[in-house]
Amino acid sequence: MGESDLGLAAAVSIALGGMIGGGIYAVLGVVAQITMAATWAAFVLAGVVALCAGYSYNALNSLCDAHGGSVSFVQYHLGNTTLAGMVGWTLLFGYIGSMAMYAFAFAEFAIALGLPDGVVGLPMRPVVSVLAVAAFVGLNLLGAGSTGAVENVLVALKLSILVAFGILGLVYAYGFSATPVDLGLDRLTSADPIVAAAISFVAFQGWQLLFYDQESIEDPAETIRKAVYISIPVAVAVYVLVGIVTVTLVPDALTSTPHVALKDAAATMLSPYGLASLGASLLSVSALFSTGSAINATLFSAAHFAKGMLTDDLLPDHIGDAEADGVPERTVVLIGAVTAAFAAVGSLNAITSFASLSFIIIFGAMSALALRQRDSDAVHPVPPAVGAVGALGFFPLMLQNLWTREPGTFYMVVVIACAVIAVEVLYFEREYLEREVARIEAAVPESVDSD
């Protein structure tokens, strides 16, 4: 074990930081609009599917000599480089969607803290989102990063704030509010919690980042296995607590200002102590800190992930130099530019839906891949089956919900997905396409001469 090897505490912190870092601030309003009082059930269901996907990742990792996550698992178990590359591209765009979601939430809370909605007719939300992404691109280019010890402190701080939020909210709900806590049990018989679970799936994606940096983790297979099984339930518990409190205290805010409803809930729970304004400000500052750090950490991880794909020729060479020390600068800039574009022109619902769809596809595919290995002693078939079936159920329900409730968002997600798939196919089948074009061009003169 080297001095820099990360232990279990640091691994759990990285996983929790990836999930809780910005997801709850960006996703809660979108989820609650669909299922309101049963929001907690949506988080539980999404967490169960994510935990089964986590089991599948751990199982595949124990069977795979080339540690490296989804792309390596597909290459090792299926031997299909094209499919592995398409999995990698889908995951990379999922990261980009996640960062755009964080940047969107960052701007919303910045405006809630006092920035104007617009300047000289120009809406500030897209401007602030783009500036936030640009700032963290600059930090990554400068080589800014955090050690495992710093990450432990940061995650502990974020968790403490959210747990305190939940506890104070329950104190207000049971001690000061005349409105009883509603768990939305009547909604559990509808499809709404399942649809909401699908949309919230992006809030459970951070743990798999551990599989891409196993060289720096002490006893990686065992440490990552434990970290996954600890971090996902903890994230579920925090999301459930925050969801119940917010829906109970400020149901109207979830309808009128869903993106910053947590701020209104913080103001409400501290109003009996004359600290409403302070509560709203502290929560907004916490949201800025959490979403900003989530952008930074995800950009760092996505860029390293992209460098690995460059090394394996799964991304075009002009995106970055695989031989560069550290992360290729062009890669960071390009990922940041695409993220900024998403954050600037997309709605929060569209960005969240696209990112969640990406992770549903990847986690479902890895669960299905693990299920194929069920004859191995390392794989029990039930968790991978639940993960695969859960993802398979989430996907059409999510699309149907978008088509019914937000057709504009549905079309945007479809256009983005088609563009990504088209680029993937063109890249990975380029040699075949080049041969076909050459064959056709060679055949044309022969046809003309024969005439």
Side-chain angles (χ1 to χ4, degrees):
M1 172 181 167
E3 292 183 359
S4 62
D5 287 352
L6 302 177
L8 179 60
V12 171
S13 294
I14 291 171
L16 280 174
M19 286 185 281
I20 295 179
I24 188 66
Y25 296 103
V27 166
L28 179 62
V30 178
V31 173
Q33 280 188 314
I34 295 174
T35 192
M36 287 307 288
T39 295
W40 65 270
F43 286 133
V44 170
L45 182 57
V48 168
V49 176
L51 192 60
C52 290
Y55 174 91
S56 300
Y57 268 75
N58 280 323
L60 292 171
N61 199 44
S62 68
L63 296 172
C64 183
D65 293 333
H67 297 311
S70 309
V71 174
S72 295
F73 296 158
V74 173
Q75 288 179 317
Y76 182 85
H77 291 287
L78 298 181
N80 189 321
T81 301
T82 296
L83 185 58
M86 295 182 77
V87 165
W89 280 49
T90 303
L91 193 55
L92 188 58
F93 272 93
Y95 291 144
I96 288 171
S98 298
M99 288 187 288
M101 179 183 74
Y102 301 146
F104 195 112
F106 181 96
E108 290 283 353
F109 279 99
I111 291 171
L113 274 172
L115 283 181
D117 289 332
V119 176
V120 295
L122 182 68
M124 284 299 292
R125 203 285 306 160
V127 173
V128 175
S129 293
V130 170
L131 290 176
V133 174
F136 290 111
V137 166
L139 283 176
N140 273 267
L141 291 178
L142 291 173
S146 62
T147 64
V150 171
E151 187 68 15
N152 289 345
V153 173
L154 296 180
V155 171
L157 179 62
K158 289 184 279 188
L159 276 176
S160 299
I161 292 172
L162 288 174
V163 170
F165 172 93
I167 293 173
L168 288 172
L170 291 178
V171 170
Y172 179 89
Y174 286 104
F176 297 94
S177 176
T179 304
V181 174
D182 181 9
L183 297 180
L185 299 180
D186 57 320
R187 287 179 174 262
L188 298 184
T189 57
S190 71
D192 286 350
I194 304 175
V195 173
I199 293 176
S200 74
F201 209 69
V202 66
F204 290 96
Q205 59 85 12
W207 52 267
Q208 95 285 348
L209 297 174
L210 293 171
F211 291 88
Y212 304 125
D213 193 23
Q214 300 192 46
E215 293 79 7
S216 63
I217 297 176
E218 173 193 354
D219 189 11
E222 184 64 16
T223 299
I224 291 174
R225 184 183 68 82
K226 293 178 180 177
V228 168
Y229 296 149
I230 293 172
S231 61
I232 294 176
V234 170
V236 171
V238 172
Y239 290 163
V240 166
L241 180 61
V242 172
I244 290 174
V245 166
T246 307
V247 172
T248 300
L249 269 56
V250 289
D252 294 338
L254 285 166
T255 302
S256 58
T257 55
H259 305 155
V260 292
L262 282 168
K263 170 188 71 71
D264 298 317
T268 298
M269 69 178 64
L270 291 180
S271 59
Y273 316 104
L275 300 174
S277 297
L278 178 63
S281 297
L282 287 176
L283 196 285
S284 297
V285 170
S286 172
L288 287 178
F289 171 75
S290 294
T291 52
S293 65
I295 296 170
N296 187 52
T298 307
L299 179 60
F300 179 81
S301 298
H304 276 276
F305 178 66
K307 182 180 180 181
M309 293 182 65
L310 283 167
T311 302
D312 294 336
D313 193 31
L314 300 178
L315 284 174
D317 291 338
H318 64 266
I319 287 179
D321 180 10
E323 303 300 323
D325 292 334
V327 179
E329 292 185 356
R330 275 178 293 164
T331 305
V332 175
V333 172
L334 181 60
I335 291 175
V338 177
T339 299
F342 269 40
V345 305
S347 69
L348 184 58
N349 283 4
I351 295 168
T352 303
S353 298
F354 173 76
S356 287
L357 280 172
S358 298
F359 291 111
I360 285 170
I361 291 170
I362 297 302
F363 288 3
M366 293 306 102
S367 295
L369 184 58
L371 189 60
R372 283 172 53 97
Q373 315 302 319
R374 59 187 178 275
D375 291 337
S376 168
D377 293 338
V379 182
H380 191 287
V382 173
V386 172
V389 171
L392 184 64
F394 282 165
F395 192 84
L397 277 175
M398 189 171 177
L399 291 180
Q400 192 272 338
N401 170 73
L402 290 176
W403 170 258
T404 302
R405 300 188 185 192
E406 299 182 59
T409 300
F410 172 83
Y411 289 124
M412 182 177 292
V413 170
V414 169
V415 168
I416 293 172
C418 288
V420 171
I421 292 171
V423 173
E424 288 175 346
V425 171
L426 286 173
Y427 179 72
F428 289 109
E429 299 300 327
R430 63 191 185 281
E431 293 182 359
Y432 169 78
L433 293 173
E434 289 170 357
R435 288 196 302 270
E436 287 300 299
V437 169
R439 183 182 63 80
I440 293 172
E441 289 177 345
V444 169
E446 296 177 5
S447 299
V448 172
D449 292 341
S450 63
D451 290 340

